[in-house]
């Protein structure tokens, strides 16, 4: 059990890095997912096709393949994802700016993969709005944009909070994969490092790492349960 | 789905049709140009379309073709083996876990009247404790990343002197996570059933265990079938995590091929297409079943069942796993 105390800073550092990956990837995935969702409900067929294609491709591909693409395909194309070094943001999240590109590759993979699920969560919210609402909006002459802005989206937001939350929880768990793709020092890489190379006893390390992830996932899940129960009552 | 989204806009009139047509053309041209300049040209510049890189994968006359596809076939077979074993194991364990949790929950409500007071309190405490323990186990294993479960299984078992083939580490790791998810799906399915189902079963004298086995579970399986199938897609996708414990599944074999031929993009494209084809057909099957079940329910005249909780459904739809 000593490893938990001796290496507390390693565990804490791993937790901090995983949290950074999750925050950045969540922001990216929410933005990209919203864009894809807009594409999927737009009245223009080619845009809808692009959105549908995107979702089908990324939802049916293992994240591992996306990660491999990012970590080995991008370098083969001569890119090291420098465009993610947005001035200001990389000062806040120092790992974005360091020369090690794997942090950025992992982010790209997580964002691309999660965005497909975010899109579906948002769309399920739109679908949950009773058809009569949209019909009523159209019958008083609102255009497509007005309909979305004033009638459908405000209501769909409520219905999509819970699925969005479970997508984010899944993403936090998925971020563990980054440690096996060259991101040094996040929680899962820490587990590998401590039990493998440094030869610490397995169980305490496993407990420490698990606590790190559970701190992020369990409270969020409990919060979602509460929101869902309240919504069920409100309905 | 298209029915649902089209509610957002009216049946287009002539003007709207013209606008749609024009914007479709503009969008199509922009998309094609974007695809050309942002995807095709960079790839072409790096020579990624050369036959040297694609040949072993698509050209049957290439000397490596049969070799490469033999390996990919082997990897795919390994993927399917692991997936099938994990699916069966997690369905069995998940069902048992769901039944256990339902039973424990009904046990905690029992007062054990007729027994000596200390004994009744003891039994009541025990059932509360067991119920709490299973609850905590479910929360913990659901909250842990699958990658780590597999990793912990592969690292942990040998430490205690138990060692298996890599296949079994993968299967156990996947089962631990997915059985918990399946248990939650089934449990919420059973709890979502109309209360009359269990009451009627009790009225004709079935014991709680019989009620669960003969009345609740079959119905829960039926309503939750689409969610279960989506979860199976997740299991199939998650087998690709076998690479971290060097199990020879599709992706790992792909890595070996890349090591020899040096064509990462091409090999990953082929593997991605394989996965997408299989998983897409499975998701379509789930959708088809969902539609059929929805129709069947209406004609059977069973009163509207509570819809399964959205959180569980969307988690089962594939966001849950890897």
């Amino acid at each position: 059990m000593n490893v938990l105390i001796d290496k507390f800073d390693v565990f804490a550092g791993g937790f901090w890095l995983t949290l950074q990956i999750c925050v950045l990837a969540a922001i990216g995935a929410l933005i990209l997912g919203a864009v894809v969702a807009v594409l999927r409900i737009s009245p223009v067929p080619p845009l809808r096709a692009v959105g549908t294609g995107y979702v089908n491709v990324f939802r049916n591909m293992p994240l591992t393949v996306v990660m491999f693409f990012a970590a080995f395909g991008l370098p083969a194309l001569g890119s090291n994802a420098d465009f993610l070094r947005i001035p200001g943001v990389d000062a806040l999240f120092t790992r974005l700016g360091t020369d090690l590109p794997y942090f950025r590759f992992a982010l790209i993979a997580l964002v691309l993969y999660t965005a497909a699920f975010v899109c579906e969560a948002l769309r399920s919210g739109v679908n949950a709005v009773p058809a009569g609402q949209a019909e009523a909006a159209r019958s008083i002459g609102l255009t497509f944009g007005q309909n979305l802005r004033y009638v459908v989206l405000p209501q769909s937001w409520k219905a999509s909070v819970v699925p969005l939350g479970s997508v984010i929880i899944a993403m936090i768990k998925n971020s563990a994969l980054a440690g096996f793709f060259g991101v040094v020092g996040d929680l899962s890489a820490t587990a590998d490092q401590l039990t493998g190379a440094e030869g610490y006893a397995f169980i305490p390390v496993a407990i420490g790492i698990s606590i790190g992830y559970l701190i992020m996932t369990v409270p969020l899940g409990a919060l979602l349960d509460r929101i869902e129960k309240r919504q069920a009552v409100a309905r | 789905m298209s029915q649902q989204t089209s509610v957002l806009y009216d049946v287009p009139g002539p003007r709207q049709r013209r606008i749609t047509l024009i914007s479709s053309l503009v969008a199509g041209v922009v998309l094609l140009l974007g695809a050309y300049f942002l995807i095709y040209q960079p790839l072409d510049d790096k020579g990624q379309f050369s036959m040297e890189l694609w040949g072993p994968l698509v050209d049957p006359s290439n000397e490596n073709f049969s070799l490469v596809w033999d390996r990919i076939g082997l990897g795919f077979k390994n993927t399917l083996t692991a997936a099938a074993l994990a699916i069966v194991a997690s369905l069995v364990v998940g069902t048992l876990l769901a039944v256990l949790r339902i039973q424990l929950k009904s046990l905690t409500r029992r007062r054990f009247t007729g027994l000596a007071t200390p004994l009744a309190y003891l039994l009541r405490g025990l059932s509360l404790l067991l119920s709490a323990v299973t609850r905590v186990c479910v929360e913990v294993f659901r909250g842990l990343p699958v990658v780590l479960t597999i990793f912990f299984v592969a690292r942990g078992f040998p430490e205690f002197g138990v060692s298996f083939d890599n296949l079994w580490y993968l299967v156990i790791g996947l089962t631990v996570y997915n059985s918990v998810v399946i248990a939650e799906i089934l449990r919420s399915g059973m709890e979502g059933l109309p209360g009359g189902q269990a009451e009627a079963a009790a009225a004709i004298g079935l014991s709680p265990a019989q009620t669960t086995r003969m009345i609740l579970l079959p119905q829960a399986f039926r309503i939750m079938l689409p969610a279960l199938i989506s979860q199976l897609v997740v299991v199939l996708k998650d087998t690709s995590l076998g690479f971290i414990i060097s199990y020879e599944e599709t992706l790992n074999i792909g890595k070996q091929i890349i090591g020899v031929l040096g064509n990462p993009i091409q090999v990953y494209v082929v593997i991605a297409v394989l996965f997408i084809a299989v998983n897409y057909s499975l998701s379509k099957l789930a959708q088809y079943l969902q539609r059929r079940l929805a129709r069947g329910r209406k004609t059977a005249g069973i009163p509207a069942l509570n819809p399964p909780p959205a959180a569980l459904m969307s988690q089962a739809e594939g966001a849950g796993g890897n």
Side-chain angles (χ1 to χ4, degrees):
Chain A
M1 277 300 173
N2 277 339
V3 61
L4 282 180
I5 299 148
D6 294 347
K7 291 278 174 178
F8 180 76
D9 53 332
V10 178
F11 285 110
F15 178 76
W16 181 229
L17 182 56
T18 296
L19 196 65
Q20 286 192 357
I21 294 180
C22 292
V23 169
L24 285 173
I27 295 171
L30 286 175
I31 295 172
L32 185 59
V35 172
V36 179
V38 169
L39 289 184
R40 276 204 84 170
I41 58 173
S42 80
V44 185
L47 295 182
R48 237 173 15 224
V50 168
T52 314
Y54 181 93
V55 170
N56 280 332
V57 163
F58 281 97
R59 222 157 64 130
N60 291 312
M61 189 151 72
L63 173 63
T64 332
V65 175
V66 189
M67 282 264 184
F68 267 115
F69 257 122
F72 302 106
L74 281 181
L77 288 178
S79 163
N80 59 359
D82 256 345
F83 57 88
L84 280 183
R85 289 181 176 179
I86 305 156
V89 178
D90 68 346
L92 203 61
F93 295 90
T94 43
R95 290 299 282 268
L96 270 182
T98 47
D99 278 321
L100 215 61
Y102 288 109
F103 182 81
R104 300 194 290 271
F105 290 155
L107 270 185
I108 290 181
L110 270 177
V111 166
L112 285 178
Y113 182 79
T114 314
F117 295 97
V118 169
C119 162
E120 287 310 87
L122 291 174
R123 225 167 51 97
S124 79
V126 172
N127 283 341
V129 177
Q133 296 281 330
E135 280 167 0
R138 279 195 288 122
S139 75
I140 58 168
L142 297 188
T143 63
F144 175 68
Q146 286 171 327
N147 189 348
L148 271 187
R149 203 166 55 210
Y150 298 119
V151 179
V152 175
L153 284 186
Q155 298 185 63
S156 70
W157 161 239
K158 203 176 148 193
S160 49
V161 169
V162 173
L164 263 185
S166 44
V167 167
I168 296 297
I169 292 180
M171 194 208 68
I172 293 173
K173 292 190 279 179
N174 287 338
S175 74
L177 204 51
F180 296 97
F181 277 94
V183 174
V184 181
D186 83 331
L187 275 175
S188 54
T190 303
D192 198 13
Q193 171 75 17
L194 288 181
T195 56
E198 300 192 20
Y200 278 100
F202 169 75
I203 291 202
V205 174
I207 292 176
I209 300 295
S210 306
I211 291 175
Y213 279 104
L214 294 178
I215 287 177
M216 289 183 268
T217 54
V218 171
L220 205 50
L223 181 72
L224 287 181
D225 273 354
R226 281 194 56 175
I227 294 178
E228 198 182 355
K229 286 223 178 81
R230 228 177 38 208
Q231 279 183 2
V233 171
R235 245 186 264 140
Chain B
M1 288 294 156
S2 58
Q3 208 72 47
Q4 280 283 345
T5 41
S6 67
V7 158
L8 289 176
Y9 29 87
D10 232 324
V11 178
R15 180 167 165 270
Q16 189 57 43
R17 266 207 298 274
R18 216 161 43 233
I19 294 176
T20 308
L21 185 68
I22 291 168
S23 48
S24 293
L25 285 177
V26 171
V29 168
V30 168
L31 285 174
L32 282 180
L33 282 180
Y36 180 77
F37 282 109
L38 296 177
I39 299 172
Y40 180 79
Q41 222 173 29
L43 285 172
D44 199 34
D45 280 350
K46 299 281 175 197
Q48 293 294 340
F49 288 105
S50 71
M51 246 0 222
E52 208 180 314
L53 294 174
W54 279 102
L57 291 165
V58 294
D59 177 14
S61 62
N62 193 295
E63 79 229 81
N64 291 326
F65 181 81
S66 61
L67 220 67
V68 164
W69 277 99
D70 273 354
R71 295 292 290 160
I72 294 182
L74 174 73
F76 211 61
K77 204 189 94 211
N78 284 344
T79 297
L80 291 182
T81 316
L85 286 171
I87 285 168
V88 171
S90 27
L91 275 177
V92 171
V93 179
T95 311
L96 291 178
L97 196 60
V99 170
L100 182 71
R101 281 202 66 191
I102 289 275
Q103 294 292 312
L104 282 175
K105 202 173 169 190
S106 66
L107 206 60
T108 53
R109 284 202 215 96
R110 238 178 100 172
R111 298 281 146 169
F112 301 103
T113 45
L115 288 172
T117 318
L119 191 62
Y121 273 116
L122 185 71
L123 283 176
R124 206 165 140 68
L126 201 65
S127 57
L128 282 174
L129 181 74
L130 276 177
S131 174
V133 167
T134 48
R135 169 105 206 263
V136 168
C137 281
V138 165
E139 289 297 334
V140 165
F141 287 122
R142 213 164 58 141
L144 275 185
V146 211
V147 210
L148 279 188
T149 326
I150 297 169
F151 174 79
F152 285 158
V153 167
R155 271 281 160 79
F157 273 55
E159 286 229 344
F160 299 101
V162 193
S163 55
F164 303 120
D165 216 24
N166 277 336
L167 167 67
W168 295 106
Y169 293 141
L170 182 61
V171 169
I172 295 173
L174 286 176
T175 305
V176 166
Y177 175 78
N178 288 293
S179 58
V180 167
V181 175
I182 287 178
E184 284 299 275
I185 292 175
L186 287 177
R187 193 180 59 88
S188 76
M190 286 194 258
E191 285 179 351
L193 287 173
Q197 297 285 329
E199 283 161 17
I204 61 168
L206 295 184
S207 71
Q210 282 174 320
T211 309
T212 312
R213 201 183 66 225
M214 294 160 62
I215 311 288
L216 299 181
L217 203 54
Q219 295 192 59
F221 264 112
R222 201 181 143 215
I223 328 170
M224 288 306 196
L225 201 55
L228 286 175
I229 291 182
S230 315
Q231 191 59 32
L232 304 189
V233 173
V234 174
V235 178
L236 192 61
K237 283 193 331 183
D238 283 354
T239 49
S240 63
L241 298 173
F243 90 97
I244 62 161
I245 56 172
S246 46
Y247 173 63
E248 286 213 318
E249 46 72 51
T250 320
L251 211 58
N252 209 351
I253 298 245
K255 224 165 73 175
Q256 295 165 8
I257 294 173
I258 291 162
V260 178
L261 298 176
N263 51 352
I265 294 184
Q266 290 74 12
V267 171
Y268 289 136
V269 166
V270 168
I271 291 176
V273 168
L274 280 179
F275 267 107
I276 292 169
V278 174
N279 289 334
Y280 185 70
S281 16
L282 276 177
S283 332
K284 279 284 153 208
L285 176 69
Q287 265 174 32
Y288 166 76
L289 280 175
Q290 197 154 26
R291 264 202 305 276
R292 252 201 72 157
L293 289 181
R295 214 169 47 215
R297 205 179 299 156
K298 238 175 266 161
T299 51
I302 301 173
L305 299 163
N306 294 343
L312 266 169
M313 282 304 270
S314 67
Q315 190 168 35
E317 255 159 31
N322 151 37

